[in-house]
Amino acid sequence: MTAAEDHGRAVLSRAVAGDREAAGELLSQVRPSLVRYCRARLGRAHGSYEAADDVAQEVLLAVLTALPRYRDEGRPFAAFVYGVAAHKVADHHRAAVRRPMPVADLPDSADGALGPEDLAMRAADADTARALVDLLPEPQRELILLRVAAGLSAEETGAVLGMTAGAVRVAQHRALTKLRALAVGGAL
Amino acid sequence: MTDLHDVDGADSAESGIWASDALIDALGAGASVDDDRAAALLSALVSDVSAEPLPGLPDLAPPRRTRRLAPRTGIAAGAVMAVLSTGGVAAASVSAGPTSALFPLHRVLTGQSQLDGSQRQALEVKDKLASAAKALAAGKYARAQKDVQSAADRLPKVAVTDGHHDLAAQWTALNRQVKAKVTTTPATSSPGKVTASPTSPRTSAPARSTSPAPSQASTVPGGGTTTPVTTSPSASQVAGGAPGTGLTSPTPVTPTPVPSQTPTVSPSPSDPAGTSSPTPTPSGKHHRPGGGKGGSVAPGSPPAASLAPPSTAPVTVPPVQSPAASSAPVTVPPAPSVAPSPSAS
């Protein structure tokens, strides 16, 4: 077990014991990948990831609330977090009705980042990738998003999905091969 | 990037699996791929979801707090309502006397565990008056008289703050009723018999002590047969009032016929038979006028008290006096013992 893993376990133990500072550190570690996962799963709504970010916040709050009841059974903490996230995303899909979404005010100054065309191209590629992933079977889709969007390791992904790391690697190889075929074949 | 292509192009299945694993690891880390369409799309997806800033951390405060506000607010509102609704009762009970229905609450709020003497007497008087009223309604006049007498004994010990005035008023009214009933019923004692007046506990005082005229205007029914003899204003004032309370004694007393040999301070010492007109009292309301005959002894009925020796025998009045009775109803001077007569000494 590495020093980082030891530190992570210690933080987790203190967070479970009620240490709010440790809980904050734990959520800060989880949050970036969780937000990316939610955004990859839910996509943009009215051009914004705000709805996906709200779901990510709900997941974090649910994790925080459930922390006192968390029991470390040797599985990665990410498995617990993404297990909650899967339920929250499913809830969001069930409640997915068209609702008015707030739109941010237009910026007064020029944005130094990508221009509108580049942003549109990137967003279009992201939407295409999401559409391709949606064509995969459910286990493979979840696996690809956890591995690519959330950046989880094979072991962590296997813990979330209840698979071994080897099974994850085999499944992700098949999913990637299928995506290539779909992309080349012009499935979209 | 070339390594990924090399892995991707491996022939063996195992090498393909590892190559895919390496490619996906690279994509998850944010690497960009251009010549693999599928990998390029996934790379664009990762870049897109990572481009926008992350939302802030949620508030780490316990989320149950908002749910607890409602019941707490309800409890607080209920407590305020309870205080407001009971505040008036509590305020009224603080000043409640022993005869008030709020007195038990008064004792709780003020922490008073024991009754003081005056409060105890007030309760006793209240009970006696209630008992007398009940007995009166039941026709038990003797019992009513006894209770009224008992109340009269205790009434002077009741402080003004414990409802003395109210109790005195009740006593006066009740005593008047008792007297009225008693006079309309057959005599309970033989005429002329000297008995202790049930309403005047101090009638046992020696007749010679003084002859204070009560300041109370009450008289014995059938009065006029005796001459109320008043005493000095000071004596009358003291005798007529409950000591220390300022209460005018409600004892219905009529003036004691003063024997000629009684060394009283009667303003009319020259009238040994008591046939003279009543001596006006300072208060002017000691005696019943008697229809113009006031003060004169009924014919053939010399004042019983006047015949009584100036001894220590209590001079009382037969409570019942028929108009034709030969015995004169004699009232008893109230509490003469507390009105030392200058002449008595």
Side-chain angles (χ1 to χ4, degrees), chain A residues 20 23-24 27-28 31-32 35-36 39-40 44 47 49 53 57 60-61 64-65 122-123 125-126 128-130 132-133 144-145 147-149 151 154 169-170 172-173 176 179-180 183, chain B residues 8 13 16-25 27-29 36-63 67:
Chain A
R20 311 304 291 181
L27 295 185
S28 297
R31 186 169 58 113
V35 171
R36 290 198 302 270
R39 288 175 177 177
R44 295 177 183 270
Y49 279 127
D53 291 348
Q57 295 287 78
L60 291 174
L61 285 174
L64 182 66
T65 304
R122 190 184 67 190
D125 286 346
T128 301
R130 201 174 288 111
L132 286 177
V133 171
I144 289 296
L145 290 180
R147 288 283 283 127
V148 174
R169 291 189 178 92
V170 172
Q172 69 186 12
H173 174 68
L176 190 58
L179 282 177
R180 286 192 182 109
Chain B
D8 195 27
I17 291 173
W18 285 110
S20 296
D21 187 58
L23 175 62
I24 289 175
D25 280 342
L27 290 173
D36 184 339
R37 176 64 180 161
L41 291 175
L42 291 176
S43 175
L45 176 63
V46 172
S47 177
D48 190 63
V49 298
S50 305
E52 295 188 9
L54 297 174
L57 265 178
D59 186 9
L60 297 182
R67 280 182 286 176

Side-chain angles (χ1 to χ4, degrees), chain B:
Chain B
M1 298 300 169
T2 53
D3 293 341
L4 295 176
H5 290 285
D6 291 342
V7 172
D8 195 27
D11 294 334
S12 65
E14 185 174 355
S15 61
I17 291 173
W18 285 110
S20 296
D21 187 58
L23 175 62
I24 289 175
D25 280 342
L27 290 173
S32 61
V33 181
D34 294 330
D35 52 353
D36 184 339
R37 176 64 180 161
L41 291 175
L42 291 176
S43 175
L45 176 63
V46 172
S47 177
D48 190 63
V49 298
S50 305
E52 295 188 9
L54 297 174
L57 265 178
D59 186 9
L60 297 182
R64 289 171 295 189
R65 177 172 183 151
T66 53
R67 280 182 286 176
R68 286 184 179 176
L69 283 178
R72 283 181 181 173
T73 304
I75 292 172
V80 168
M81 289 302 294
V83 168
L84 291 179
S85 60
T86 59
V89 176
S93 64
V94 167
S95 59
T99 59
S100 170
L102 293 175
F103 186 65
L105 185 57
H106 163 86
R107 294 180 61 186
V108 172
L109 292 179
T110 59
Q112 181 183 2
S113 59
Q114 297 293 331
L115 295 176
D116 58 25
S118 173
Q119 292 172 340
R120 197 178 301 112
Q121 293 299 330
L123 292 176
E124 290 284 343
V125 169
K126 184 182 177 185
D127 290 343
K128 291 297 181 184
L129 291 179
S131 176
K134 191 175 178 181
L136 190 64
K140 302 175 181 176
Y141 303 127
R143 174 64 182 271
Q145 250 184 337
K146 183 179 178 184
D147 288 336
V148 168
Q149 175 61 42
S150 179
D153 289 341
R154 292 176 168 82
L155 195 53
K157 301 175 185 174
V158 178
V160 175
T161 55
D162 293 329
H164 182 104
H165 294 316
D166 292 340
L167 291 173
Q170 295 176 26
W171 187 94
T172 302
L174 194 59
N175 184 59
R176 190 174 295 120
Q177 297 176 21
V178 170
K179 288 298 180 186
K181 290 290 184 182
V182 165
T183 56
T184 57
T185 56
T188 57
S189 61
S190 61
K193 181 180 180 181
V194 177
T195 58
S197 170
T199 60
S200 179
R202 297 187 178 93
T203 57
S204 60
R208 62 177 174 82
S209 60
T210 181
S211 59
S215 59
Q216 195 71 16
S218 60
T219 59
V220 171
T225 58
T226 63
T227 300
V229 180
T230 62
T231 175
S232 64
S234 60
S236 172
Q237 188 176 12
V238 176
T245 61
L247 170 69
T248 300
S249 172
T251 306
V253 289
T254 55
T256 302
V258 181
S260 59
Q261 61 270 36
T262 301
T264 62
V265 202
S266 172
S268 57
S270 61
D271 188 6
T275 56
S276 62
S277 61
T279 303
T281 63
S283 62
K285 52 180 182 178
H286 285 288
H287 319 292
R288 204 179 76 173
K293 300 177 292 185
S296 62
V297 178
S301 59
S306 64
L307 301 177
S311 64
T312 58
V315 181
T316 61
V317 181
V320 179
Q321 177 64 45
S322 63
S326 59
S327 61
V330 182
T331 59
V332 179
S337 60
V338 297
S341 172
S343 60
S345 57

